[in-house]
Amino acid sequence: MKKLFQNLHDRLHISLPAWATEWLDIIVPTIEVALILLSAWLLVRVARMLTRRLTAAYTLPVTVATVFMRIVAALIYSGAVLWALERMGVSGGVLWTAFTGFATVGAVAFFAAWSVLSNLFCALLIYVTRAFRVGDVVELLEAGDKPGMKGRVVEINLVYTTLLESGDHASGSSLQLPNSLFFQRVLRRWHGPAADEMAVPLHEIKL
């Protein structure tokens, strides 16, 4: 794409009279920047459409899809802005320095928020792999035959999965477990009459 823009610019310089070349040096970069930003916008639209299809196909929560789309849009627009600045004549060294600076800050922030991001990613995996759903009775086994944490799943958000042990939200007990914990221990799912014996029935839960 960059080579195509440069070839077009060179051909126009040769074919146009001398008085028009000054305007050409302003108009061509402006058109290039507009095309870059338009391409980025179209790419974000396509990514949003694909995200909606995946959300519908895997029954993903809207919050997960929204966070994912914001990250993708930020990456696309950041790349488009850097490319547009380069076409406007900003030094490549300055752009590279800015990019490495932002990348360093982003890496530090990534490691600082790793526990939160891992829970967010695990929430996505729970929905994609269909490990369990709201209403299922699950148990996290500690080791061997020791009883673990169990209850009926009443909520799955970006960070926690809430298990209702007994009663309801007005009078009862619940567990709020990090999503990553479900991929670190053995998960047992209860079905049929056994599930009704392990936790409060779903129709009795007052959300």
Side-chain angles (χ1 to χ4, degrees):
M1 184 66 72
K2 180 179 179 180
K3 187 176 181 180
L4 178 62
F5 284 151
Q6 188 62 42
N7 291 337
L8 179 62
H9 186 270
D10 295 339
R11 290 181 182 179
L12 291 175
H13 257 288
I14 296 174
S15 59
L16 292 177
W19 60 269
T21 56
E22 294 182 1
W23 287 99
L24 183 64
D25 292 335
I26 298 175
I27 294 175
V28 171
T30 302
I31 295 176
E32 292 176 353
V33 170
L35 290 175
I36 291 171
L37 296 179
L38 178 62
S39 299
W41 180 76
L42 291 175
L43 191 58
V44 170
R45 292 280 300 221
V46 172
R48 184 175 288 112
M49 180 182 65
L50 293 176
T51 302
R52 287 174 180 173
R53 291 185 178 180
L54 291 174
T55 302
Y58 292 100
T59 320
L60 299 177
V62 177
T63 50
V64 173
T66 301
V67 171
F68 174 77
M69 196 58 237
R70 287 180 179 177
I71 294 174
V72 171
L75 293 175
I76 293 175
Y77 284 129
S78 297
V81 169
L82 291 176
W83 191 11
L85 290 174
E86 190 272 336
R87 297 309 302 165
M88 293 174 64
V90 178
S91 172
V94 174
L95 291 177
W96 178 250
T97 302
F99 173 77
T100 53
F102 283 123
T104 302
V105 174
V108 173
F110 176 82
F111 285 109
W114 170 247
S115 60
V116 176
L117 294 175
S118 64
N119 286 319
L120 191 153
F121 181 67
C122 288
L124 179 62
L125 287 179
I126 288 173
Y127 280 93
V128 172
T129 61
R130 300 183 183 275
F132 54 84
R133 287 288 183 268
V134 173
D136 291 346
V137 176
V138 298
E139 180 181 5
L140 281 179
L141 301 180
E142 295 286 346
D145 296 330
K146 293 181 180 179
M149 296 171 287
K150 57 182 177 292
R152 189 179 294 276
V153 180
V154 293
E155 183 185 7
I156 306 173
N157 58 34
L158 294 179
V159 180
Y160 295 105
T161 293
T162 302
L163 304 181
L164 189 63
E165 287 186 303
S166 62
D168 53 31
H169 285 286
S171 58
S173 61
S174 60
L175 298 172
Q176 206 169 34
L177 307 177
N179 292 324
S180 60
L181 194 62
F182 289 91
F183 294 90
Q184 299 172 4
R185 298 184 182 180
V186 177
L187 177 67
R188 173 185 289 164
R189 294 178 61 182
W190 294 81
H191 307 280
D196 296 334
E197 295 176 2
M198 291 295 299
V200 61
L202 183 61
H203 67 273
E204 295 183 6
I205 298 177
K206 300 178 181 179
L207 299 178

